[in-house]
Amino acid sequence: MPEPAPVTMSATLAADEALARRRRAGERVLSMASGEIGLPVLPTLRDRLAAAAGENAYGSVAGSPALRTAVAGYWQRRGLAVDPGLVVAGPGSKSLLFALLLAIGGDVIVPVPSWVSYAAQARLVGARTVPVPILPGQGGVPDPGRIREAVAEARAAGQRPRAVVLTVPDNPTGTVASAAVLRRLAEAARELDLVVVSDEIYRDLVYDSAGPAVSPALHAPERTVVTTGLTKNLALGGWRTGVARLPDSELGRALHARLVAVASQIWSTPPAPVQAAAAYAFGEPPEVIERVAASRRLHEQVVRAVAARFGAVGTELSPVAATCYLYPDFEPLRGRLAVAHGVHDGDELAALLSGKYGVGVLPAGAFGEPGRPLRIRASTSHFYGETDERRSAALQAADPLALPWIRESVDRVAEVLADLAGTPVPVLAPHS
């Protein structure tokens, strides 16, 4: 009997659970490990969910007609035409991504670095990964100039690369790949006959409205699957709802049939009450648009303040253009960290930050980085308060950094970084 695929706990979820145990034990901790968005549920969505609580039938495997139609409109408003019949809903975009890898088959090209679950999911479906580094500042997208070489080497070694997974905008770097890079990626995918799986869960959290994320589906519409959900833009992680847009092509229709078949054997149908609320959300009425905009402003103000603290002690990081993530490189501090703290790589740095300072982050190795890079990923999404009252105040504040609980977290980051670097605590402007 063959050995089962190795399974490890998601690094983000494991780190969160460890910090929660320490918090319950009375320790002072600051969670910067996971990207769960700490914001309250929009009241109108809560009411919609409650009103649909009596909907207890299975329903369509692909999702209700109302949800699929609303999702088609959501993508249409972003320049991506879609037939509602080629939309598939599931219990979270994470589940859909896993099901897509099963449906596509073959091995998977992943960017380096990339979200912690891509490679793990590939292993679980029996696939191998083909890691391809990103270009500087172009997170989430494998370097198009290196994909052809990587695929040729993989095929020569007996692997069968069939898909390339992207994140636009990116987790872990918080950057947004340019239209030019995505166009080149799409050209390579067409030449190599690869299915593009574009994880666009952070699309609505790009700070600059004049420079929105560009989907690879615009450049390779016949072979690009797009996934998204309400976990990040509306902070509905616990509701577990995600959607996939399949391409309107022979390949897309065949993949749609396989994806629905996989879904029928795993989750049968998305939760009906959640679908009702999600259909309303994807319709983007004014209060939903306003909430997403408020969340985006909050993320931008807080993450840029924290980025300034990292920069003040000499770390290097690309400008954050979206999401609540930072991916600082401590290489300029390597000598100081080795001598003063016995730290030589990201794993040791994350362990030090957690063990000595109670600050939870993830090392670059969790995102597939090889060697011993002195990089970590940090998230600011838990800074907004422990109660709905405080979180609502954060959303409404013209200057969230003036709120004591947010300022305390930002100041704590500055104190810890200064101690690591052996520098005075930086005194920065309130809005920096």
Side-chain angles (χ1 to χ4, degrees), residues 281-355:
F282 277 113
E284 298 185 291
E287 68 272 21
V288 167
I289 292 174
E290 182 181 342
R291 168 56 70 87
V292 173
S295 301
R296 187 167 53 240
R297 287 193 299 270
L298 175 61
H299 293 322
E300 179 180 11
Q301 289 174 284
V302 175
V303 82
R304 286 188 168 166
V306 175
R309 273 64 181 173
F310 277 98
V313 299
T315 72
E316 297 176 348
L317 71 164
S318 297
V320 180
T323 79
C324 52
Y325 300 122
L326 305 109
Y327 200 60
D329 189 347
F330 284 75
E331 185 62 34
L333 302 178
R334 181 175 288 277
R336 158 73 186 180
L337 292 174
V339 173
H341 302 285
V343 165
H344 303 88
D345 59 27
D347 287 348
E348 293 175 351
L349 178 56
L352 176 69
L353 286 167
S354 175

Side-chain angles (χ1 to χ4, degrees), residues 62-72 87 89 241-243 270 274-276 278-280 282:
S64 71
L67 174 57
R68 288 185 281 114
T69 299
V71 169
V87 172
T241 183
V243 289
V274 175
Q275 288 189 72
Y280 184 78
F282 277 113

Side-chain angles (χ1 to χ4, degrees), residues 113-134:
S114 62
W115 179 50
V116 298
S117 288
Y118 295 146
Q121 288 189 347
R123 290 192 295 270
L124 287 173
V125 303
R128 291 168 288 185
T129 59
V130 180
V132 178
I134 64 170

